[in-house]
Amino acid sequence: MTEAQDAWDTLLEAGFLHAVRDAHEATTRIVLGSLSRSAGFKERSFGYTSFDVLESQLDKAFGLDGDSGGGPLAGRVVRDNLNGSPGWRLGNYRILLKRHEFGAVDAIRWDKSSPTKQAVSRQEFAEDPQLALDLGVAPAPAGPVTLVVAHSATDAPIETELFIGRPRYNADAGPPWHWRRPITAETLGPDPRQVTERTMPLWSDDDDVVPLRLRARADGTAAEAAR
């Protein structure tokens, strides 16, 4: 079994990926409902706010915020930050976050990201070993396999993108992923955290309806919004 399939199966069967998707949708609703370009907020404002809110929503989804239960994932998912970068761990897989420009998940330049993201992208990958370039960046310490959840959203129109994958150090201007998969309702299927299919909408009756149109990817040029 490939690493991609093992990681996907492990995180999917536990409901981890469903929790990530729910947290991202909640984040999109909260951020886009709170910030508006007409009020003066810019793309950078959305980027930083989304990153912070998604961190909080993931803690809530995993029962790590000291307030919510976390459901069946409580006690199975732990915080596992890396050099101050927010991270969560289930089994042998640690997940970090990366916000990207919408439509440009394949244009991420890890060699221009933070030292932590550079180190993560240089993890040894047995299925496609790459040459280690001596750029003075220490590799990630031995331990869990660190994957990245890449997330993005637009407000006009409202669309979201969410992926999980193994980053590839691409100082050679090559592809930024050894592998990546979209996290959508179609790829996830039934939620294992629930006995029955969810029937309630994500929004409460008190909220304005914020329709989300999921898109696996789109073409475009990237400029990273979060490092």
Side-chain angles (χ1 to χ4, degrees), residues 162-207:
L162 194 62
F163 302 90
I164 187 170
R166 160 84 87 129
R168 173 188 175 276
Y169 190 76
N170 55 340
D172 59 356
W177 302 96
H178 288 295
W179 61 266
R180 67 164 176 80
R181 292 188 177 185
I183 303 175
T184 67
E186 291 73 22
T187 60
L188 294 180
D191 189 342
R193 299 172 301 169
Q194 302 178 6
V195 177
T196 58
E197 289 286 346
R198 179 174 58 195
T199 56
M200 295 296 293
L202 289 171
W203 331 123
S204 70
D205 293 338
D206 296 328
D207 294 327

Side-chain angles (χ1 to χ4, degrees), residues 100-115:
H100 63 276
E101 183 175 326
F102 189 85
V105 69
D106 288 329
I108 292 175
R109 288 294 300 267
W110 299 109
D111 57 312
K112 297 181 179 179
S113 296
S114 68

Side-chain angles (χ1 to χ4, degrees), residues 14-34:
F16 186 100
L17 296 177
H18 288 81
V20 170
R21 179 172 176 269
D22 286 353
H24 186 236
E25 290 193 353
T27 297
T28 301
R29 171 172 55 84
I30 293 169
V31 173
L32 296 185
S34 303

Side-chain angles (χ1 to χ4, degrees), residues 43-161:
E43 185 61 32
R44 183 176 59 182
S45 312
F46 286 92
Y48 282 118
T49 304
S50 295
F51 194 93
D52 290 341
V53 174
L54 181 55
E55 178 183 0
S56 298
Q57 289 297 314
L58 285 171
D59 278 343
K60 182 178 181 179
F62 298 140
L64 299 171
D65 62 345
D67 187 31
S68 55
L73 289 172
R76 299 185 64 189
V77 179
V78 299
R79 266 291 195 142
D80 193 7
N81 299 344
L82 182 61
N83 299 333
S85 183
W88 296 263
R89 180 172 174 177
L90 175 68
N92 194 46
Y93 295 104
R94 173 170 51 200
I95 309 299
L96 302 184
L97 301 176
K98 174 67 176 176
R99 181 175 169 83
H100 63 276
E101 183 175 326
F102 189 85
V105 69
D106 288 329
I108 292 175
R109 288 294 300 267
W110 299 109
D111 57 312
K112 297 181 179 179
S113 296
S114 68
T116 297
K117 297 292 173 52
Q118 290 186 39
V120 168
S121 67
R122 296 179 68 187
Q123 294 174 108
E124 292 184 0
F125 183 55
E127 297 169 41
D128 184 18
Q130 58 180 320
L131 295 176
L133 303 179
D134 185 11
L135 298 180
V137 179
V145 173
T146 301
L147 306 177
V148 171
V149 164
H151 61 98
S152 187
T154 63
D155 57 335
I158 296 175
E159 294 182 276
T160 65
E161 287 184 333

